[in-house]
Amino acid sequence: MRHNITQKRVGRMVICYATGIFKKSVQAAMIEEIPFNDPEKIISRFAEQNGAIFLDSAMLTQHSGRYSFIALDPFLILSSKNGLITLGDETFFGNPLDVLLEQLSLFPLEKKANLPPFQGGVAGFFSYDLVRHLEKLPEPDIDDMQFPDMMLGFYDLVIGFDLHEKRAWIFSSGYPEKDLIKREKRARDRLAGLLDLIETIPDLPPVSSFSCLEKNIQSNFSKDSYQMAVKKVIEHILSGDIFEANISQRFRAELPADFSAFDLYRKLRALNPAPFSAFLNFRETQIVSASPERFLRLIDRFVEARPIKGTRPRSHCEKKDAELASELLASEKDTSENVMIVDLLRNDLSRVCQDHSVRVPQLCGLESYATVHHLVSVITGELQDELSAVDLLRATFPGGSITGAPKIRSMEIIQAIEKTARGPYCGSIGYIGFHGDMDLSITIRTFAIKNHIAIFQAGGAIVLDSEPLAEYEETLTKARALFRALVE
């Protein structure tokens, strides 16, 4: 359907009217370009607010990291745990993805082209354990943290940053008002109120000096027991159960009384900048993430996944660093891990993409980050006309790079070995716009925080020729920056 956009200027603000989104509907958004400022400085003013979200491209790369977003003061929060849905003040049982799809349909919005793509919608996290609403899997033996399976805010107020062009905009949709005149007024008032709050932004204060003692960070695996877990996966492979499974160890840290989740984010951001960094502050749960991995992007029905499989540590010695990168590129083991996940994702995407549209434009390319080199592949496709971002999510969640192949059997084995609910780890963080676009990361290199306890995990793909000690050491390499953020 072709949409016609007209504009009306009200003072210094532009109201964009879009028609043709739904029959008998006229949808409006209000957009104000603002002077560019450091997004980290702006979010610091709001970091303690319930529902404050910072989707942060802390590392710009050739293929990702162009945009950052701040979403504030959600007009509705949707959360779920074991099928118990909380939607604003309502509580009921249901399928959280069904509820999400229904709620998204209530707030149609036309996207303004050539601007940052998240212009209003839902943002938050999907925990790994949401998979039990998609597949029949055993319940975890231990769920001590009781993280939500899903926690999303509905945002009418978003600041979008184009980091390449050093430009920024406020988007104000006026939702949840449905009457056009009332929406216009709410959008104008909300935008003007935010402009007042960010008119002057002070310099960032120093990061508070909290730290944890390393001896107080406990894993649910010992060095020996993790190696035994690797051997169990290899036995499953030899018996023909699976080709690959991703096994993680979980670290738990009690946080000091003077702890600040936002300061932890700032420390991690400085130590390990990543293109899909994120800070989320919901009342009982905070997420601090430095993920390098895109799970799914949906822009104008074009789908992209960028799975990571294959890792080597970085070295401060330039020659040694180059040798490690070359070693990774030449590794048959790491290449085979990556190719298996590419095949899995091609199958997942083929369920919801147009026939013959799924492609692999990059296979096992090298990408380098602050502490590690990775092999990254790219799979693309075009979403079927009648399907939505939520349908795409159902077909692919959780990402194959952090489960294994075949996917369902791998997840059964993961649960039997790890025993503890993964929570946000290996789920996804990001947004789904009211206009239908979506961008989600894989939740790795991430702290999940609740009740003054921080949980973080690190894992790796186990295949037939995995070496148990090397796999254990790889988990420590991946967790290195998170340890440093806590103890330094």
Side-chain angles (χ1 to χ4, degrees), residues 63-78:
H63 305 290
S64 56
R66 176 171 181 173
Y67 301 110
S68 290
F69 300 98
I70 293 172
L72 300 168
D73 192 19
F75 63 82
L76 184 67
I77 292 180
L78 167 62

Side-chain angles (χ1 to χ4, degrees), residues 180-433:
L180 184 60
I181 294 174
K182 291 181 179 179
R183 276 188 60 196
E184 253 189 58
K185 182 180 186 305
R186 175 176 165 85
R188 187 182 301 109
D189 291 348
R190 295 272 281 169
L191 198 155
L194 183 55
L195 282 170
D196 288 342
L197 289 173
I198 64 174
E199 187 172 4
T200 57
I201 299 291
D203 290 337
L204 283 165
V207 174
S208 61
S209 58
F210 73 87
S211 63
C212 299
L213 296 175
E214 191 163 349
K215 67 179 181 180
N216 292 336
I217 304 174
Q218 303 296 321
S219 173
N220 62 342
F221 282 98
S222 67
K223 182 177 180 179
D224 288 342
S225 64
Y226 188 86
Q227 292 182 77
M228 288 299 298
V230 172
K231 292 175 182 177
K232 285 182 183 178
V233 174
I234 292 172
E235 289 172 5
H236 281 288
I237 295 170
L238 288 169
S239 66
D241 275 357
I242 56 169
F243 301 106
E244 175 182 338
N246 190 294
I247 301 300
S248 67
Q249 59 172 321
R250 186 183 83 157
F251 301 93
R252 183 181 190 274
E254 293 191 17
L255 301 170
D258 58 350
F259 168 79
S260 160
F262 183 63
D263 279 348
L264 178 63
Y265 177 71
R266 291 177 62 197
K267 290 173 72 173
L268 182 62
R269 186 181 195 265
L271 288 165
N272 193 50
F276 300 101
S277 299
F279 171 75
L280 286 68
N281 185 12
F282 290 105
R283 184 164 284 115
E284 295 183 354
T285 302
Q286 292 80 45
I287 305 292
V288 168
S289 182
S291 175
E293 183 171 358
R294 168 173 281 143
F295 174 34
L296 292 169
R297 179 173 63 174
L298 175 65
I299 299 287
D300 298 326
R301 311 203 70 74
F302 179 81
V303 180
E304 180 190 70
R306 299 180 60 87
I308 289 174
K309 263 292 160 269
T311 305
R312 290 294 185 279
R314 298 295 305 268
S315 172
H316 295 297
C317 169
E318 187 174 338
K319 181 180 177 182
K320 177 63 174 175
D321 193 57
E323 289 173 353
L324 288 164
S326 297
E327 177 188 305
L328 177 58
L329 281 167
S331 169
E332 292 184 8
K333 171 187 176 291
D334 291 287
T335 298
S336 67
E337 288 179 14
N338 197 297
V339 168
M340 277 189 268
I341 299 309
V342 168
D343 286 343
L344 187 156
L345 273 165
R346 286 176 62 198
N347 290 336
D348 281 353
L349 291 179
S350 293
R351 295 160 57 191
V352 289
C353 285
Q354 301 279 8
D355 290 347
H356 312 299
S357 71
V358 177
R359 300 282 187 271
V360 184
Q362 175 179 303
L363 185 63
C364 299
L366 180 72
E367 294 187 7
S368 299
Y369 298 89
T371 60
V372 292
H373 299 291
H374 281 311
L375 293 183
V376 182
S377 292
V378 179
I379 306 99
T380 62
E382 186 174 349
L383 189 66
Q384 295 173 23
D385 291 340
E386 69 277 13
L387 300 183
S388 69
V390 176
D391 297 310
L392 175 59
L393 187 62
R394 287 185 201 268
T396 54
F397 188 87
S401 64
I402 41 70
T403 52
K407 194 172 184 179
I408 295 173
R409 183 64 182 125
S410 295
M411 288 189 286
E412 292 172 346
I413 291 168
I414 288 168
Q415 189 58 69
I417 291 175
E418 293 187 3
K419 301 191 183 303
T420 303
R422 281 183 164 183
Y425 174 70
C426 288
S428 296
I429 295 170
Y431 71 80
I432 303 175

